[in-house]
Amino acid sequence: MSESGDPAMTEPTRRDFLARMSAATLAAMTAREPRRLFAAEDEAPEERFEPTADAVILLWMAGGMAATETFDPKSYAAFEIGLEVKKILSTFPSIPTAIDGVGVCEGLENVARVLDRGTLIRSHVVADLGHVLHSRHQYHWHTGYVPPQTVAAPHMGAWIAKILGPRDPAIPAFIDIGQRLEGIGEKEELKAFHTAGFLGSEFGPFLVPFPDKGIEAVRPPEGMTPSRFQSRFRFYRELAAKSPLGETGSDYQKESMVRAMENAHRLLSSPKAAAFDLERESAEVRAAYGPGRFGQGCLLARRLVEAGARFIEVTTEYEPFKYWDTHENGHTTARDMKAAIDAPVARLVLDLEERGLLGRTLVVLASEFSRDMIIEGRPDNVAPDQAIRPSETLQEMRHYGAHRHFTGAGSVLLFGGGMKRGVVFGETAPERPCVAIRDKVSVEDLHATIYRALGISPATAFEVERRPFYITNDGKGTPVGALFA
Amino acid sequence: MHVHFLDGFAALLLALAPAQNGAPAPHPPLAFSEHVLPLLRRHCFQCHGGGKKKGGLSLETREGLVAGGDSGPVVDLGRPEESRLLALVSGADPDLVMPPKGDRLKKEEVSLLRLWIEQGAPYDTGTLSGSRAGVAPVLPRRVDVPAASGDLTNPIDRLLEPYLRERGLAFPPRADDRTFARRVSLDLAGVLPDPARVDSFAADASPGKDAALVAEILRDGDAYAEHWITFWNDLLRNDFAGTGFIDGGRKTITEWLYAALRDNLPYDRFVRELVDPPTPDSEGFAYGIRWRGRINASQVRELQFAQNTAQVFLGLNLKCASCHDSFVDSWKLADAYGLAAVVADAPLEMNRCDAPTGETAKAKFLFPEVGEIDASAPRAERQRELAALLTHERNGRLARTIVNRIWRQLMGRGLVEPVDVMDNAPFSADVLDYLASDLAANGYDLKRTIELVATSRAYRSRSVPAASEVATDPAFEGPEPKRMTAEVFVDAVWRLTGTAPEKPSIEIPPDGSGRWIWRDASAAKAAPAGERVGFLKRLELDTPPTFAQAVLTADNAYVLVVNGRYVVADTDWRTVETLDLLPYLAPGHNDLLVLADNLGADPNPAGFWFAARIETAAGRIGIASDSSWECTTNMPLTADPLIGMDGETGECRFFRLWSGPEDRPDDWRPAAILESFGGEEIRSRLFAALRSVSGGGTRPVRAAFTAADPLQLSLGRPNREQVVTTRPATLSTLQALDLTNGKVLAETLARGAANVRARAGGASPSIVDDLFARALARPATGAERAAALRLLGETPSAQSVEDLLWSVLMLPEFQTIR
């Protein structure tokens, strides 16, 4: 891709690119775009916090991962026709982990073995938005704000991209792996938070819906040879330079356009683009991450972090009624989903550790809410779009497993990035409802923890429409100090 | 562990430190929202804000601060050092420290408060982003326009000339003809100009050619609607797919909006129909978005209505005040709720910061100087009153807001900036007030305003690119270049390369379309099996028709009888009949009678659709099925038309339905319009048939009517969950990436290159000439031409044409309207 002899095509120096990026960023800051407000007025300079992480990998369990089927096992009852539903809390037995006395559900053997590298939060409590529509909860989790909002709220990755910028100039600061935004249900709702919102598209997600095709996002259009790609750009440059427009003097709009084109071209011509190419991994390594899109996405995330990515989300993908959205066949779907995530998550942690990257890379595994075993519907408030089935006794295998949306407690994994190792944080009730009973962690506090690990104050705000808009809801997120090593 | 940021705060503290010579340096004015408000909010508002007045003290407003609390004043503006507030927060008296609970103020914060009080404790937002929100006049103002002089005849220019002269400026030189032709075509119709028209314009030496070109472009109602609908979709949050459409949580107004723009519906009526919808067609705006699940109290549909009405039509922001009394302007919670309550079906409880207050909102209008709303009136009446007040002649804000938006669309920067803060001062109150009054005085004809601006010497000027991204001074030096919207860019690419899709995602009914009608609106879902409805439309013709063609169909079967004579019958609702009515019509009364049957054994949907175009010496008349048709289920039939239907030929042999008025049923009632009926396929067929009857060819599909693809989304087409009034002005790196290797554009250009090559006859010089003329409305310069010809070579390959095409499309000159 970068065989061109043109000196301008070679990889730029970091300083050079950062200078250009910040110029582009500046150019994006027109009078109408948000301006940063000073933050953290309550914190004295002597208490200044040093970042513990430079990069974040968010492993997103899209669709609602049931804690009691994964990382928070409760009393297990095997499937049996006529079994009383209320007696079932978990449909998988517990297995031991690398942390003494801590179990997770069967099917997570690989993660169990690396659990001593991280912290398992069992008391993540998300907002109750009426137990419907995953995309609203996902919007909330990713932006920190409950939709609807009167201004477009930025995704966590966009906040981070805006505030910290790229870690390496040739790797986009915010990369989103595995989520299609076209051709699936609720796509408009998904698009609504896969955005930099009012921060401006400069900070939006670099989308890689199919990790094994990641390289396509950073190479010339299909069918175009690298040499043609380079000569096309050379011609564009020549034409732009010869444009009579150049005669009109200073013109930030024109200059920013040319600069953005140069940036894009540089990114597509950089040798670093190879980080997007999974073909460069051995068959053995690729197999270790499993055949699925999520697994390959984890591998891509590892490559990108090595290359200098700032924020990467890898999702199991949200699609209504699929993957973790286990409305039916809860048990078998959970089994399949665990099979899809277990090896790659563990492999990712180990790979980062082996490469000495885990210390400064925060890996977060989370979901928009948990699930409960009661079959569909909600006893006190029946959601109109969910089927209500007799929930007394089990008759069919497809009703065995967690179905109902549950916001009272969910599990989150944190690895690296300055978090404690080998710790379980928070606790849920042993009986239904298995709500968090100790050390609750809200979405905004979890966000504040992630931001703080990166050295970003949870009270950071930008001005939009003459009011402050904070990185955590109203700037109220409080980092959970106990999670830090 | 704590995080600290040195940027804003530390810089401020540095500035607070004494200057080197020991004397305190005069400090620039503090920005209230940036420097003081966060501090007040953090330490004080828990007891003295958000409506709370502990100890009788409210710090929410300057009045509250100055008034002090139960125990007296808290600030002394004459002797700031003596202010009790400073003593309280600095802990001078250990027994009485504010805040009593929570974190105390740090030394630096106390210094900040002191400085703020020294500066007079301003609450205004004067230093916030250069905005100077004050309170702008609401009532209209008459502006005396200086006499015309020389070529300055347009009132805008006559008002701007002294403005410029006072600043030692003059109008920039006139833009060259080709630049102007491209600008006016893109600004007014959103399309690249036809090269032949650019040539003829450039060759035209007549003095009135500018005005003629503007008028010519504006005359095409469809082109105008196709372009401006994007602007309005952004403003009105209108779309036809996306969030909320899954389950009826949102209603599109696309058809209404298109017709309103095409027909240049007067703006006052436009606003009234949105705020107080006379039919379901325009109710989507007021309806808002019904979100599933629990939402914040400030986002209920009534408050969405208040926020959007205030922002879009009045350029003021009620978003803050929807949650609590605003910190940045004077709007109160009760104001936002007052507007919201207008459309509330049930008593609306006020919530402050998502917590119920126990108070019920009282419907009211934002500007009492314009008039009041009767809060005790029923909803429909309140809504009518609101519509009347918004469009009242005393409400100058309505017109100012829209003329400012139009000014910005054409000139690149508003008379007032930002366009949603109409309380900011305009750079020329005279121009703003003149345009607003002119709009109101001329029947709220928006096209007139557009024409007025577009024919001004100011607009005719060479554009003046901004040298920096931050506009510190709203002064006018000339029109600024504008960036193409995503839709305009995509339309331009399609037009240039002949790659527009064949079908839009939403098909707009052509002018004169009918609606699906039946006896009852519920027929859209189900009408009784075997129900027979007679439809009657009376048509008066003064002179004999010279042309009369109709398009119709019915679900399931119909017979059409005109003036007692059988015309046509059909039993297949999927077919569309086009027929010549000329032989059946005559001057005077004409009765169009339709007998329609809902077939089937079970209740099922039923509908009838009709549109005709009739021409007489006096002009064109359109007849279309709508609620002006009468219907009955009590037809006095002497025989059953379906029985009379010839099974072999499908023709109806029996058609004499009545002999005279005495036979007519007496239970006629207006036909009901069916919402969402019939499906895309039949609609498409009906529209195509009507277009062919009307002699209008099929118009090329425009991007605004296609679902947003990844390219359009990337380039900034919004998802319309929020009101958007300005699109980003610069290209981001991610957008540049999508333009450089994105699939959508790459595939379009790969297909389009062949068209471009073929159109130009395949020879390199003509390809270059054709492309530059179409894309940039000018010939290539010698240097450009030479470079392009080098790229193409003697016999241009499809790839080299594609590369040339891409390079031209990526030029800032192409992507901006200059």
Side-chain angles (χ1 to χ4, degrees):
Chain A
M1 278 180 70
S2 56
E3 275 71 48
S4 158
D6 187 336
M9 297 299 138
T10 57
E11 192 195 358
T13 66
R14 180 178 167 82
R15 206 182 55 186
D16 175 43
F17 192 86
L18 286 178
R20 286 165 189 275
M21 274 308 268
S22 61
T25 305
L26 266 179
M29 293 284 293
T30 70
R32 295 126 201 154
E33 297 204 17
R35 193 172 56 113
R36 181 159 177 187
L37 298 173
F38 82 114
E41 64 270 27
D42 60 336
E43 279 152 345
E46 64 270 17
E47 292 172 312
R48 192 168 162 191
F49 180 78
E50 291 299 330
T52 59
D54 302 319
V56 172
I57 299 174
L58 171 62
L59 303 176
W60 187 247
M61 302 295 110
M65 177 186 78
T68 51
E69 306 283 50
T70 51
F71 296 104
D72 196 2
K74 300 289 176 188
S75 75
Y76 163 69
F79 176 76
E80 196 182 309
I81 289 175
L83 184 67
E84 263 192 275
V85 167
K86 66 182 179 197
K87 285 194 177 155
I88 315 167
L89 289 175
S90 290
T91 69
F92 297 90
S94 175
I95 57 165
T97 70
I99 310 175
D100 280 347
V102 174
V104 295
C105 290
E106 184 184 74
L108 291 167
E109 286 74 9
N110 289 293
V111 177
R113 278 194 285 276
V114 301
L115 207 59
D116 57 342
R117 272 81 165 178
T119 295
L120 164 56
I121 300 173
R122 282 179 169 159
S123 50
H124 183 40
V125 179
V126 301
D128 179 355
L129 306 181
H131 287 258
V132 289
L133 223 56
H134 294 262
S135 44
R136 287 192 71 218
H137 284 267
Q138 291 184 39
Y139 183 112
H140 179 216
W141 203 98
H142 284 89
T143 66
Y145 287 83
V146 172
Q149 288 290 321
T150 54
V151 297
H155 188 290
M156 169 186 274
W159 280 108
I160 292 170
K162 169 84 179 177
I163 295 165
L164 299 181
R167 194 154 64 88
D168 184 287
I171 306 291
F174 171 14
I175 301 169
D176 191 275
I177 302 171
Q179 181 68 58
R180 286 168 297 159
L181 296 178
E182 293 296 334
I184 55 165
E186 288 181 50
K187 66 186 166 100
E188 300 303 329
E189 286 80 355
L190 287 165
K191 284 175 197 165
F193 66 87
H194 280 87
T195 163
F198 71 84
L199 292 175
S201 74
E202 189 72 34
F203 310 100
F206 185 83
L207 299 167
V208 184
F210 296 93
D212 56 343
K213 291 182 180 155
I215 189 65
E216 286 179 10
V218 286
R219 71 178 177 201
E222 205 179 335
M224 189 178 287
T225 61
S227 68
R228 182 181 155 208
F229 183 67
Q230 297 300 347
S231 70
R232 182 179 80 162
F233 195 74
R234 268 197 301 276
F235 176 71
Y236 158 73
R237 242 190 215 152
E238 184 186 355
L239 209 55
K242 290 190 160 95
S243 167
L245 216 59
E247 296 153 15
T248 54
S250 178
D251 178 346
Y252 86 92
Q253 193 174 38
K254 183 196 80 184
E255 286 155 14
S256 75
M257 282 179 171
V258 172
R259 200 181 301 117
M261 293 302 293
E262 293 278 351
N263 283 344
H265 186 74
R266 191 167 288 110
L267 206 141
L268 297 177
S269 309
S270 163
K272 287 260 186 179
F276 285 89
D277 191 359
L278 290 184
E279 297 291 332
R280 303 206 177 206
E281 293 286 340
S282 69
E284 195 184 2
V285 170
R286 292 197 65 171
Y289 276 86
R293 267 165 76 202
F294 176 77
Q296 295 299 302
C298 287
L299 175 57
L300 183 57
R302 192 263 281 158
R303 287 182 60 82
L304 290 168
V305 161
E306 282 180 276
R310 177 70 74 187
F311 178 92
I312 307 167
E313 176 165 348
V314 185
T315 173
T316 55
E317 193 175 42
Y318 177 65
E319 203 180 343
F321 305 106
K322 292 182 108 174
Y323 313 123
W324 283 114
D325 193 7
T326 52
H327 280 269
E328 270 199 348
N329 298 315
H331 173 79
T332 48
T333 311
R335 186 192 63 203
D336 298 346
M337 289 310 295
K338 282 187 282 187
I341 66 158
D342 183 42
V345 171
R347 193 68 249 161
L348 175 66
V349 170
L350 291 175
D351 271 8
L352 290 173
E353 189 178 62
E354 278 166 23
R355 287 163 172 74
L357 293 168
L358 192 58
R360 301 292 293 179
T361 305
L362 174 56
V363 179
V364 181
L365 181 145
S367 187
E368 70 263 31
F369 46 59
S370 182
R371 288 177 178 276
D372 189 5
M373 176 59 215
I374 298 290
I375 298 171
E376 297 291 286
R378 203 175 150 203
D380 55 331
N381 179 11
V382 176
D385 59 340
Q386 289 182 28
I388 307 158
R389 301 202 182 89
S391 55
E392 303 299 316
T393 57
L394 269 185
Q395 299 302 328
E396 295 174 70
M397 184 64 189
R398 67 192 177 102
H399 291 159
Y400 181 59
H403 311 282
R404 196 190 88 185
H405 300 171
F406 181 67
T407 55
S411 291
V412 170
L413 295 180
L414 301 172
F415 292 99
M419 298 297 133
K420 281 188 178 143
R421 294 165 64 94
V423 168
V424 173
F425 189 80
E427 187 182 352
T428 51
E431 296 300 329
R432 178 170 287 114
C434 301
V435 294
I437 53 174
R438 192 165 52 79
D439 295 333
K440 290 181 190 175
V441 180
S442 66
V443 169
E444 63 197 27
D445 290 350
L446 182 58
H447 282 196
T449 306
I450 296 168
Y451 290 134
R452 180 202 259 189
L454 289 165
I456 299 170
S457 164
T460 304
F462 284 82
E463 184 201 320
V464 56
E465 295 181 4
R466 305 194 299 142
R467 63 163 157 155
F469 199 102
Y470 297 89
I471 192 168
T472 62
N473 195 4
D474 284 343
K476 287 180 193 150
T478 308
V480 183
L483 293 171
F484 287 84
Chain B
M1 284 178 289
H2 287 277
V3 188
H4 188 74
F5 288 85
L6 274 174
D7 51 356
F9 196 58
L12 190 67
L13 292 178
L14 280 177
L16 287 173
Q20 280 188 338
N21 62 7
H27 191 274
L30 290 176
F32 175 72
S33 318
E34 182 172 352
H35 300 134
V36 185
L37 179 61
L39 189 156
L40 294 178
R41 185 178 290 160
R42 189 167 294 272
H43 297 290
C44 316
F45 279 1
Q46 201 179 344
C47 303
H48 306 288
K52 279 173 280 188
K53 289 183 171 186
K54 211 154 189 185
L57 176 68
S58 167
L59 295 177
E60 268 182 283
T61 60
R62 189 166 187 278
E63 293 75 55
L65 173 79
V66 172
D70 297 340
S71 51
V74 293
V75 291
D76 185 335
L77 293 174
R79 289 170 297 170
E81 280 299 324
E82 316 267 301
S83 293
R84 191 150 160 270
L85 182 67
L86 295 177
L88 288 169
V89 297
S90 62
D93 175 358
D95 294 330
L96 190 56
V97 183
M98 286 292 164
K101 281 181 277 184
D103 294 342
R104 302 259 290 274
L105 270 73
K106 283 192 254 326
K107 225 165 53 201
E108 297 82 2
E109 291 178 313
V110 177
S111 310
L112 195 61
L113 270 186
R114 181 178 303 116
L115 180 64
W116 176 58
I117 297 170
E118 277 168 11
Q119 292 183 349
Y123 270 75
D124 68 61
T125 56
T127 46
L128 197 57
S129 283
S131 64
R132 306 169 305 278
V135 176
V138 170
L139 303 182
R141 182 176 71 98
R142 266 184 86 87
V143 176
D144 293 325
V145 180
S149 69
D151 67 342
L152 297 185
T153 52
N154 186 303
I156 293 169
D157 302 324
R158 284 147 66 190
L159 289 165
L160 273 180
E161 195 276 331
Y163 169 90
L164 291 169
R165 190 161 22 85
E166 279 166 27
R167 283 158 186 78
L169 298 166
F171 285 106
R174 288 159 61 88
D176 68 81
D177 281 348
R178 292 175 179 278
T179 301
F180 177 74
R182 186 177 188 268
R183 178 194 299 172
V184 78
S185 177
L186 284 164
D187 277 349
L188 305 190
V191 289
L192 295 170
D194 174 37
R197 185 65 186 93
V198 177
D199 288 343
S200 70
F201 179 74
D204 189 348
S206 66
K209 69 174 185 174
D210 292 353
L213 180 62
V214 168
E216 176 188 314
I217 294 170
L218 286 176
R219 203 177 301 131
D220 184 345
D222 284 303
Y224 173 84
E226 285 167 348
H227 173 53
W228 287 84
I229 201 164
T230 294
F231 167 82
W232 282 108
N233 281 341
D234 283 7
L235 252 63
L236 301 173
R237 299 199 298 182
N238 178 52
D239 216 321
F240 46 85
T243 303
F245 288 107
I246 288 181
D247 59 352
R250 202 167 164 185
K251 297 179 179 184
T252 186
I253 57 167
T254 304
E255 289 184 16
W256 173 87
L257 184 54
Y258 185 91
L261 295 171
R262 181 193 59 210
D263 303 339
N264 194 27
L265 190 69
Y267 186 59
D268 56 342
R269 213 179 123 195
F270 181 94
V271 173
R272 282 197 296 271
E273 293 196 8
L274 286 168
V275 169
D276 177 27
T279 73
D281 299 347
S282 61
E283 72 185 6
F285 172 76
Y287 184 88
I289 302 175
R290 193 187 62 211
W291 298 82
R292 297 167 69 192
R294 198 192 73 79
I295 56 165
N296 188 288
S298 66
Q299 284 301 308
V300 297
R301 283 191 290 150
E302 291 87 346
L303 279 162
Q304 292 178 29
F305 173 81
Q307 291 163 6
N308 297 342
T309 297
Q311 180 180 356
V312 173
F313 302 128
L314 304 174
L316 60 87
N317 188 334
L318 289 185
K319 293 176 185 176
C320 299
S322 298
C323 214
H324 48 70
D325 292 348
S326 173
F327 303 125
V328 295
D329 53 38
S330 58
W331 298 109
K332 303 282 182 227
L333 188 66
D335 295 321
Y337 270 93
L339 191 52
V342 171
V343 294
D345 282 315
L348 183 64
E349 184 182 8
M350 305 217 304
N351 279 253
R352 181 174 284 112
C353 299
D354 212 18
T357 62
E359 291 170 69
T360 300
K362 185 167 172 286
K364 65 171 188 171
F365 188 54
L366 295 166
F367 303 134
E369 58 267 57
V370 176
E372 306 275 349
I373 286 174
D374 178 3
S376 63
R379 172 187 163 147
E381 174 60 20
R382 295 194 305 264
Q383 223 166 325
R384 199 193 58 73
E385 286 177 15
L386 172 63
L389 288 174
L390 275 172
T391 57
H392 194 283
E393 59 177 14
R394 290 170 59 80
N395 181 15
R397 183 60 89 84
L398 180 82
R400 285 190 186 96
T401 303
I402 187 61
V403 299
N404 187 52
R405 293 191 193 284
I406 288 173
W407 182 278
R408 187 182 198 281
Q409 291 302 110
L410 271 60
M411 296 288 198
R413 199 191 293 180
L415 289 147
V416 178
E417 282 285 344
V419 289
D420 294 326
V421 188
M422 285 301 290
D423 276 321
N424 278 347
F427 72 76
S428 167
D430 283 349
V431 174
L432 179 69
D433 291 348
Y434 174 80
L435 285 173
S437 304
D438 180 77
L439 177 69
N442 289 284
Y444 284 94
D445 178 350
L446 285 183
K447 273 195 181 175
R448 178 192 159 93
T449 303
I450 292 170
E451 192 162 14
L452 201 54
V453 177
T455 53
S456 67
R457 174 63 180 77
Y459 179 76
R460 191 61 171 82
S461 302
R462 191 183 291 166
S463 63
V464 182
S468 76
E469 51 275 19
V470 182
T472 45
D473 179 4
F476 179 82
E477 291 174 21
E480 283 184 20
K482 293 141 292 197
R483 182 179 170 203
M484 284 178 170
T485 61
E487 290 88 334
V488 168
F489 176 80
V490 168
D491 278 336
V493 171
W494 286 349
R495 184 166 285 218
L496 208 50
T497 57
T499 50
E502 278 180 23
K503 287 256 170 216
S505 305
I506 180 168
E507 203 168 358
I508 300 297
D511 199 2
S513 282
R515 305 291 300 261
W516 288 96
I517 57 174
W518 200 254
R519 183 172 178 276
D520 198 281
S522 62
K525 290 206 168 71
E531 182 169 70
R532 169 166 305 136
V533 180
F535 294 100
L536 178 65
K537 175 75 184 173
R538 177 152 277 199
L539 167 67
E540 303 289 338
L541 292 175
D542 296 335
T543 53
T546 54
F547 176 94
Q549 294 222 335
V551 173
L552 72 164
T553 191
D555 181 350
N556 297 93
Y558 70 89
V559 181
L560 171 66
V561 175
V562 176
N563 294 329
R565 294 170 62 200
Y566 166 82
V567 182
V568 69
D570 186 73
T571 54
D572 185 353
W573 69 279
R574 288 161 302 184
T575 59
V576 168
E577 287 70 54
T578 299
L579 46 108
D580 191 2
L581 287 182
L582 206 55
Y584 304 92
L585 298 175
H589 297 312
N590 292 274
D591 275 337
L592 276 66
L593 183 71
V594 173
L595 198 64
D597 270 20
N598 188 31
L599 305 180
D602 297 307
N604 64 91
F608 168 67
W609 197 100
F610 181 95
R613 198 178 119 179
I614 298 163
E615 280 169 22
T616 69
R620 186 183 297 175
I621 301 163
I623 300 286
S625 48
D626 57 23
S627 53
S628 74
W629 289 56
E630 293 177 288
C631 69
T632 177
T633 45
N634 190 24
M635 288 296 290
L637 296 178
T638 50
D640 189 322
L642 286 171
I643 293 171
M645 192 77 72
D646 185 316
E648 292 284 308
T649 65
E651 288 226 352
C652 179
R653 282 175 280 124
F654 185 90
F655 47 83
R656 190 170 183 81
L657 294 170
W658 67 54
S659 50
E662 65 282 3
D663 291 349
R664 299 175 70 157
D666 53 10
D667 65 340
W668 293 101
R669 57 188 257 182
I673 289 173
L674 312 183
E675 302 301 327
S676 65
F677 183 87
E680 288 304 317
E681 219 177 300
I682 184 73
R683 267 168 66 92
S684 226
R685 254 182 241 143
L686 286 165
F687 296 164
L690 180 59
R691 273 193 209 99
S692 104
V693 160
S694 307
T698 312
R699 301 183 63 86
V701 171
R702 296 281 294 265
F705 303 93
T706 61
D709 60 22
L711 178 63
Q712 289 189 49
L713 280 173
S714 167
L715 293 179
R717 175 164 160 176
N719 69 359
R720 288 165 182 140
E721 286 182 26
Q722 288 92 14
V723 170
V724 172
T725 58
T726 50
R727 297 265 188 108
T730 52
L731 185 71
S732 73
T733 305
L734 286 177
Q735 293 172 338
L737 275 169
D738 275 323
L739 294 172
T740 303
N741 81 335
K743 270 205 170 72
V744 178
L745 186 65
E747 286 171 5
T748 305
L749 296 189
R751 276 187 293 129
N755 297 340
V756 171
R757 191 167 58 163
R759 185 173 63 211
S764 294
S766 50
I767 291 173
V768 176
D769 293 344
D770 174 77
L771 205 52
F772 272 75
R774 285 174 192 270
L776 304 173
R778 64 170 175 86
T781 64
E784 287 170 331
R785 200 159 194 274
L789 288 175
R790 256 198 319 279
L791 176 77
L792 294 181
E794 281 285 306
T795 45
S797 66
Q799 286 188 356
S800 62
V801 175
E802 196 183 319
D803 291 351
L804 172 63
L805 190 53
W806 180 82
S807 301
V808 170
L809 295 181
M810 292 309 114
L811 290 174
E813 184 183 357
F814 179 79
Q815 294 188 14
T816 50
I817 303 165
R818 311 197 71 84

